[in-house]
C-alpha cells in the first residue's frame, strides 16, 4: 500500500477547498477523464458546494500496457460545448504528461474561458512534458500503481487505497 484511505480522504477535502477558492464563482465544467478518474471525481464533486456541471471524456495512451505508447487518442468526447466556460480537467495520474498536454491543447482550441488541471497523482520522475497541473493530490515514485479508480488490465479499480504493483517470481 502506498497511500491509505484516510490520507486520500483528507487530501481530497483539501483539494476541494482549493478548487472552490479558484473556481467556486465561475460555474465550471468539471471534466472527468475516464476511466481512471471516476472514483476521484465522485469523491471530489461531493465535497464541492457551488454550482458546476460534470462531463466525461476518454483519452487513451496506454491500452493494456503498463508503459505509455507515446500516442494519445480521444476515444470519447464531451457532450457539451465549452466555449467561454471555465473547465477543470480531472485526471487520475500524470505520468509523462503527454495525456494532459494533449487534452489541454485539444480543449483550449474550443475557446474556453480557462482550462485548469487537477490530478490525484503525479509521477514527477517521468514528467518529460512539464505538464501544468494546477491541483495535485500526491507526488509518487515512478512505479505502476493501482486502486482508487486506477487499474491493472481492468482490475483493482475498486481498492479504496493506492497500491504499488510488484512483479513476483513464481
Ligand atoms: P501520461 O500521458 O501522463 O504518461 O499518462 C497518463 C495516463 O496513463 C493516466 O491517465 C493513466 O491512465 C495511465 N497511467 C500512468 N501511470 C499509471 C500507473 O501507475 N497506474 C495506472 N493504473 N495507470 C497509469
Amino acid at each position: 500500500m502506498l497511500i491509505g484511505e484516510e490520507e486520500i480522504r483528507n487530501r481530497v477535502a483539501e483539494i476541494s477547498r482549493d478548487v472552490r477558492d479558484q473556481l467556486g464563482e465561475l460555474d465550471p465544467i468539471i471534466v472527468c477523464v475516464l476511466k481512471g478518474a471516476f472514483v476521484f471525481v465522485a469523491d471530489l464533486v461531493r465535497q464541492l458546494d457551488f454550482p458546476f456541471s460534470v462531463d466525461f471524456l476518454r483519452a487513451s495512451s496506454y491500452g493494456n500496457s503498463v508503459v505509455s505508447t507515446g500516442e494519445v487518442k480521444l476515444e470519447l468526447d464531451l457532450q457539451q460545448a465549452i466555449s467561454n466556460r471555465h473547465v477543470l480537467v480531472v485526471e487520475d495520474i500524470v505520468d509523462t504528461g503527454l495525456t494532459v498536454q494533449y487534452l489541454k491543447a485539444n480543449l483550449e482550441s474550443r475557446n474556453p474561458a480557462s482550462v485548469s488541471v487537477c490530478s490525484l497523482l503525479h509521477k514527477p520522475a517521468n514528467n518529460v512534458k512539464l505538464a501544468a497541473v494546477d491541483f495535485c493530490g500526491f507526488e509518487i515514485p515512478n512505479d505502476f500503481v493501482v486502486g482508487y479508480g486506477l487499474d491493472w488490465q481492468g482490475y483493482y479499480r475498486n481498492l479504496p487505497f493506492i497500491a504499488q504493483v510488484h512483479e513476483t517470481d513464481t
Side-chain angles (χ1 to χ4, degrees), residues 10-65:
N10 293 339
R11 190 71 187 110
V12 171
E14 285 172 1
I15 294 170
S16 71
R17 289 193 283 274
D18 292 344
V19 169
R20 186 187 52 207
D21 288 347
Q22 200 158 314
L23 295 167
E25 311 273 295
L26 301 176
D27 185 18
I29 301 175
I30 296 185
V31 172
C32 172
V33 182
L34 295 171
K35 295 178 184 176
F38 80 106
V39 175
F40 177 38
V41 169
D43 282 350
L44 183 69
V45 296
R46 284 179 293 171
Q47 301 272 331
L48 301 179
D49 56 357
F50 56 82
F52 61 88
S53 55
V54 179
D55 207 339
F56 299 85
L57 59 74
R58 179 156 183 209
S60 135
S61 65
Y62 274 32
N64 266 340
S65 164

Side-chain angles (χ1 to χ4, degrees), residues 33-37 59-62 65-66 68 72 91-101 121 123 126-127 131 140-147 149-153 155 157 165:
V33 182
L34 295 171
K35 295 178 184 176
S60 135
S61 65
Y62 274 32
S65 164
V66 294
S68 175
V72 183
E91 268 271 22
D92 50 357
I93 184 164
V94 172
D95 182 4
T96 63
L98 209 71
T99 306
V100 155
Q101 195 197 39
L121 305 173
K123 288 183 191 169
N126 273 347
N127 209 220
I140 62 166
N142 190 19
D143 288 317
F144 194 78
V145 294
V146 296
L150 291 106
D151 74 311
W152 174 77
Q153 298 192 352
Y155 294 94
R157 295 190 195 275
V165 177

